[in-house]
Structures are given as structure tokens and as C-alpha cells.
Amino acid sequence: MKSVLAIILGGGAGTRLYPLTKFRAKPAVPLAGKYRLIDIPVSNCINSDINKIYVLTQFNSASLNRHISRAYQFSQFTEGFVEVLAAQQTPDSPSWFQGTADAVRKYLWMFDAWDVEDFVILSGDHLYRMDYSLFVERHRATNADITLSVVPIGYKQASDFGLMKVDGSGRVVDFSEKPKGDALEQMKVDTTTLGLTPEQAKDQPFIASMGIYVFKKQVLIDLLRKNRDQTDFGKEIIPSSALDYNVQAYLFDGYWEDIGTIEAFYDANLALTQQPHPDFSFYQEDAPIYTRARYLPPNKLQNCQVTESSITEGCLLKNCRIHHSVIGLRQRINADCVIEDSLLMGADYYEPLSESSQHLTQGKIPLGIGQGSVIRRAIIDKNARVGRNVQIVNKENVQEAEREDLGFYIRSGIVVVLKNAVIPDDMII
């Protein structure tokens, strides 16, 4: 794997994850209480012995830069690195990134300088664990120019992905990006050839691209330089190359979730609380997910009832009830609170108890969740100040709302409280 360079695509403005992307790049969005989305592909690379890693991004990259510089420092005696490449304007390239392929093209001069055989191109907003060395080995064994990692999927998700047909050798013979209607029906295949049972094949009659690719170095360089009008891998580069190049499909049979929307992000986080075996587990010793070491103290729980939940380190919980929720770093939850079906991201710092008490006496809102508050089916972003006797319950089942002036949004019926928001005492959302 020393001859492999990894390129992680950080995505665009992250509008589908807004307001979680208001102050941060999409790869820097917190995950599972203590990680960030970027930790997934970076950890997969490290566990696969790929240690030359670039991350491409162009929006709100300050927190992403800070996280990567603190979390991933390789020995000075190796070539290993994780480096953020932010979009920049130059005399030769005055525009920002126009798409996934264009983002790679803008830094092709840097990637071309590396003496490697293959480029692994990854997405920054997926949740999965994968050994990329097996992916690259299959790519080389089939002498492929391009290899796509694929999963079988059903009708419900099919129109959101690039779909393909493959021949008996695994070569891609047809590719369609996000087809609908008749075009979707034409992309149905017999997925029993991938090893699915007849019952599974009936439920999942499509082969979808995961947006994860291996390119021969020179093939990628040639494609990007010859087709300068093509700006996206999934929509343009891959479909147009299927005729002239050996494009192979690599079946991935593990858990994989695209968490690019608020609903998918919420569901993926709460799914981590499943017992005894969640679909994705952070408890795998031979392939750990890495993140920044924070050296936080252990949690303090005083007379709390906690069921089907994950509590990250450094939390202070007092006489509260928590069910089916994920509680993030340094989260403070006061007495008589009820937290259900929610993701609380925690805080970046501790507010001294003396300062919190002073806030209460001055009518201000301390950091954390105030006494007597109820939170259901919500995401509370970092450093939020939720007052006393607040109810975040979406009682009227509103599906979409934008109340940024009040400190929250509603997406797919999920209340999202903004980072640093202040929700006053007795407020009902």
C-alpha cells in the first residue's frame, strides 16, 4: 500500500446537512458523540496501511484543519501525513471547485508529483469500515483502469445513487447516475450473481456505486486532462469511461451508510445504541476508529436512569432520565431532565460551576441542558445553552422549519438546535 495515495473528497457546502455545516466543513461534523465524519475514511486508510492522505474541501475548513492537525501526526521517519487542501484561486484556475472531479483536477499537479501506482478516491460523509488493501488488490488482479466499490440496494434508495450493470467478469458495461422512471427499471439486474440469495436479490435488484474509486494513476491524470469540461466523477467521468477503459465493480458486503442528510445522520447516530450488536460498531479492536485524544475525566452520573444510550467521556449528569440517545463530550444535564431519541453533541469546553451559578442568578442561560427540560427526537449541536423547563418535542409534528433567529431548524421532523444557540427558559419548540 506504499504505492497508493488516498484523496478524500470533503464535499461542497453541505447544504443537506445544514445547519450542522453552518460553522464547519461537512467532514468536520461530529459523529457518535466524540468522533468527526472525517475520522471514518482516515481511520480506514490507516488500518489499510495507506498513510498518504489528502482531504479536499472548500467551505468552513478551519475546524477541519484544527481537528486533523491535532489528531493525525505520523512519525517524522515515515512519509505518512493527513493534509487538508482547501480550494484556492490561482492564475491558471480562477474558479472554486465545480465538482468532485474538478476538485481533484485543481490539485492534479500535486498528486502527479507522487511516485505511486494508484489513487484511492473516497467520500468524507459515509459511515462504514473497509479494508482498502483488499479493494486495491482486486483492482490490480483484474488489471482494471478504474474499480468502483458497489453495494446491492432496493427501490427506495436506488434513484439517489449511480447504478450499473456488470458482466460475468465483474466489468461495468452500463452506468446511469441517479436514474428515475423507465431509466431506473432498465438498470435492474440479477444480484444473485453477486452472491445474494433469491429473496435478497428480489429486494435489492440494483447495483449502486458507493462513490469510492481506485484509479490507475495515469488513467486518472489522462481522463481529467482530456475531459476538462467534465467536473463530476459519478455523473460524467465514470459513465463516459466505461466504453474505453476496463472499469471493474468490487462488491462491498459490510455495513455502509451515506449520512449526507440530517435524517440519515440522525438515524445513523442513534443506530449506534442498538444492543447487543449495532450495524456499525466502534468496538472493533483490529480496526479502530481514530480521533483526537482529549484526555477528559470520567463521566459523573448522580442518580440517573440511562437506557439504550451512549454516554461519551467528560459528562456531568444529575438526576435525569436518558433513553435511546447519544450524549457527546463534556455535556452537562441538570436535574429532572428527560432526554429521549436525541443526539446531544456536548461542548468544546467546560464552563466553571461558579460561572454557571452566576449566570443563573443574573438570569442568563448556563452551558448545557437546564433543570426540568424535556428533549425528544432532536439534535443539539455543540455549546448550546438550553434553559430551564424547555420543551423541545415538536408537538405539532412540523416536518420543515427555519427559525435561525430563534436558534433552531426542523428537518424531516427532527429539531436541530444550532451550535452556540441560546434557548431561553420555558420555551416550547
Side-chain angles (χ1 to χ4, degrees), residues 68 72 77 123 164-166 173 251 257 267 271-273 317 323 331 336 364 367 389 395:
I68 285 177
Y72 301 104
F77 302 110
S123 177
M164 67 197 72
K165 292 181 179 179
V166 297
V173 294
L251 178 67
E257 190 67 47
D267 289 341
L272 299 171
T273 66
L317 312 181
H323 173 71
Q331 185 68 64
D336 303 320
K364 297 179 181 178
L367 198 64
N389 301 312
K395 186 167 61 175

Side-chain angles (χ1 to χ4, degrees), residues 17-243:
L17 271 177
Y18 195 89
L20 300 180
T21 51
K22 181 180 180 182
F23 300 106
R24 54 172 80 94
K26 186 160 57 171
V29 171
L31 172 72
K34 66 174 289 182
Y35 304 93
R36 294 185 185 252
L37 292 180
I38 191 64
D39 292 329
I40 301 300
V42 170
S43 297
N44 284 337
C45 285
I46 292 170
N47 293 331
S48 305
D49 292 327
I50 297 171
N51 61 7
K52 294 185 281 288
I53 306 163
Y54 285 109
V55 182
L56 297 182
T57 185
Q58 67 178 332
F59 291 95
N60 290 335
S61 56
S63 63
L64 181 64
N65 271 316
R66 188 167 59 247
H67 174 75
I68 285 177
S69 66
R70 291 175 175 176
Y72 301 104
Q73 296 185 8
F74 293 87
S75 166
Q76 61 180 324
F77 302 110
T78 72
E79 286 188 322
F81 64 87
V82 184
E83 185 175 332
V84 175
L85 299 177
Q88 59 183 355
Q89 292 176 302
T90 67
D92 297 329
S93 177
S95 64
W96 300 114
F97 296 158
Q98 303 300 306
T100 54
D102 186 61
V104 176
R105 183 185 291 117
K106 291 281 200 301
Y107 277 100
L108 205 53
W109 59 272
M110 181 181 287
F111 304 145
D112 190 10
W114 281 98
D115 182 20
V116 295
E117 290 181 45
D118 302 290
F119 294 128
V120 175
I121 298 184
L122 309 168
S123 177
D125 59 352
H126 295 165
L127 179 60
Y128 66 110
R129 184 182 273 103
M130 183 175 182
D131 185 346
Y132 299 137
S133 66
L134 301 177
F135 188 20
V136 174
E137 284 170 11
R138 164 67 196 278
H139 169 76
R140 292 172 177 172
T142 56
N143 195 29
D145 297 308
I146 308 168
T147 303
L148 319 179
S149 188
V150 303
V151 289
I153 60 169
Y155 272 97
K156 183 179 178 182
Q157 300 170 291
S159 291
D160 296 329
F161 293 94
L163 304 181
M164 67 197 72
K165 292 181 179 179
V166 297
D167 64 17
S169 67
R171 181 167 179 165
V172 175
V173 294
D174 193 10
F175 192 97
S176 180
E177 179 71 8
K178 298 181 180 179
K180 294 177 174 59
D182 291 341
L184 177 63
E185 289 296 324
Q186 291 173 10
M187 296 307 295
K188 284 178 67 174
V189 296
D190 179 10
T191 50
T192 56
T193 58
L194 299 176
L196 274 67
T197 66
E199 293 76 18
Q200 290 171 325
K202 185 177 179 181
D203 293 334
Q204 298 175 312
F206 301 101
I207 302 173
S209 168
M210 295 167 61
I212 298 172
Y213 318 112
V214 182
F215 282 83
K216 281 184 178 176
K217 176 183 174 180
Q218 197 57 48
V219 168
L220 180 65
I221 291 169
D222 292 344
L223 283 170
L224 293 180
R225 286 180 175 162
K226 288 177 184 175
N227 306 292
R228 291 192 171 274
D229 58 323
Q230 296 183 354
T231 59
D232 193 88
F233 283 115
K235 292 177 183 174
E236 296 163 320
I237 295 288
I238 302 295
S240 65
S241 60
L243 288 175

Side-chain angles (χ1 to χ4, degrees), residues 17 20 31-32 127 156-157 255 257-274 278-280 324 326 341-343 377-379 411-414:
L17 271 177
L20 300 180
L31 172 72
L127 179 60
K156 183 179 178 182
Q157 300 170 291
Y255 171 86
E257 190 67 47
D258 180 348
I259 47 181
T261 67
I262 290 290
E263 185 175 23
F265 175 79
Y266 169 87
D267 289 341
N269 273 275
L270 290 199
L272 299 171
T273 66
Q274 291 174 358
D279 292 329
F280 182 89
H324 191 227
V326 175
D341 306 317
S342 295
L343 167 61
R377 192 169 165 75
I379 299 173
R411 292 281 182 259
S412 303
I414 302 159

